[in-house]
Amino acid sequence: MLRPDELGVLRVSGWADWGWLIHGFSTRSTGDFLDWPSDDEICKRFGAAAAGTAMLKQVHSGRCVRADRAWSATRPEADAVCTNRPRVLVGVRTADCLPILLVDPSRRAVAAVHAGWRGAAARVLPSAVESMASEYSCRPGDIEAAIGPGIGPCCFEVGEEVAGQFSEEFVSRDGPKPHVDLAGILGAQLRQSGVDRCAIAGHCTSCDLDRYFSHRAEHGDTGRMLALVGLREGRTC
Ligand SMILES: [Zn+2]
């Protein structure tokens, strides 16, 4: 279950009880992240103590990078980023593509993942789970996932060249063009990777412009939301 707080940030029930974790999915009322606010401003909008950030130049790839320190200006080309360092907040920006946060409470490692249809086809989410396993010895069964708001099957109308990339289980052909269920595909990829615990926002960004930015519904002229996750310093419970 994901619920908005007074900052307009969607928080995952259960995760909010972990004092060592900073996490959330921004919404329209949290502000626009298209023009890269400063790290201090990002922390303020998420209600977090000052920390550094490590974000990406998102290119719809299957690549996951490890953040051992904060970086601001030189963002690597990738679509997932993991860390186990305190006060290094990792995040991805979206407006229809789906943001996914991964947390291993046992190993205290986290990841943020950006997945539209290209990223789903490139298996960026399994790649992030594999990176957490190889870099931090995480067991997939210990990892908890949360899939934030993104374009829903109601609005994600695609051509056959896109629909054909995915199992028919996630393609609806009730209308003139196929519709694809990206959150369903990502949930299945998580289960195949051994991650059984997953909270899903289930909100369609394209249907709900009061709450979210939508690249498709606003014809490319829109803002960006930020999904953020990281570890606080010096907290053990
Ligand atoms: Zn919709």
Side-chain angles (χ1 to χ4, degrees):
M1 182 83 80
L2 280 77
R3 286 207 186 87
D5 68 4
E6 66 284 358
L7 297 170
V9 178
L10 296 172
R11 315 276 188 182
V12 182
S13 317
W15 293 13
D17 299 334
W18 293 338
W20 47 270
L21 186 73
I22 296 159
H23 85 283
F25 298 89
S26 83
T27 63
R28 192 181 276 269
S29 66
T30 321
D32 181 3
F33 291 86
L34 180 63
D35 290 330
W36 290 117
S38 67
D39 287 355
D40 283 350
E41 173 67 16
I42 289 171
C43 291
K44 190 175 143 204
R45 290 191 200 178
F46 277 80
T53 63
M55 313 253 187
L56 306 169
K57 183 180 180 193
Q58 297 168 194
V59 290
H60 299 281
S61 71
R63 183 163 184 248
C64 180
V65 294
R66 191 177 88 182
D68 289 335
R69 58 175 179 82
W71 60 69
S72 298
T74 314
R75 300 179 188 95
E77 290 194 354
D79 291 274
V81 51
C82 59
T83 192
N84 68 347
R85 302 296 170 95
R87 301 185 71 241
V88 177
L89 305 179
V90 294
V92 292
R93 298 188 306 173
T94 59
D96 284 346
C97 285
L98 277 83
I100 306 101
L101 300 180
L102 302 173
V103 177
D104 180 345
S106 163
R107 293 283 176 183
R108 298 274 168 99
V110 299
V113 185
H114 158 254
W117 74 264
R118 289 184 190 84
R123 300 182 59 77
V124 64
L125 188 48
S127 163
V129 173
E130 284 157 23
S131 291
M132 289 176 74
S134 61
E135 303 292 344
Y136 308 126
S137 305
C138 297
R139 288 181 303 234
D142 290 336
I143 295 174
E144 299 199 17
I147 301 178
I151 194 164
C154 40
C155 296
F156 194 40
E157 186 178 87
V158 299
E160 285 299 339
E161 74 284 0
V162 173
Q165 310 250 354
F166 303 106
S167 161
E168 280 297 306
E169 185 186 348
F170 303 109
V171 180
S172 148
R173 298 182 184 283
D174 299 335
K177 292 184 85 179
H179 285 226
V180 165
D181 178 5
L182 277 177
I185 292 163
L186 295 168
Q189 289 183 345
L190 281 170
R191 289 190 295 278
Q192 288 157 9
S193 300
V195 178
D196 298 318
R197 279 172 288 182
C198 179
I200 300 178
H203 303 161
C204 175
T205 44
S206 182
C207 280
D208 195 348
L209 293 181
D210 285 343
R211 294 176 71 187
Y212 304 115
F213 297 114
S214 170
H215 190 269
R216 181 168 288 215
E218 296 175 280
H219 310 289
D221 184 15
T222 188
R224 293 292 180 280
M225 296 171 291
L226 182 69
L228 191 71
V229 68
L231 308 175
R232 285 183 217 274
E233 194 162 41
R235 293 290 292 265
T236 54
C237 58

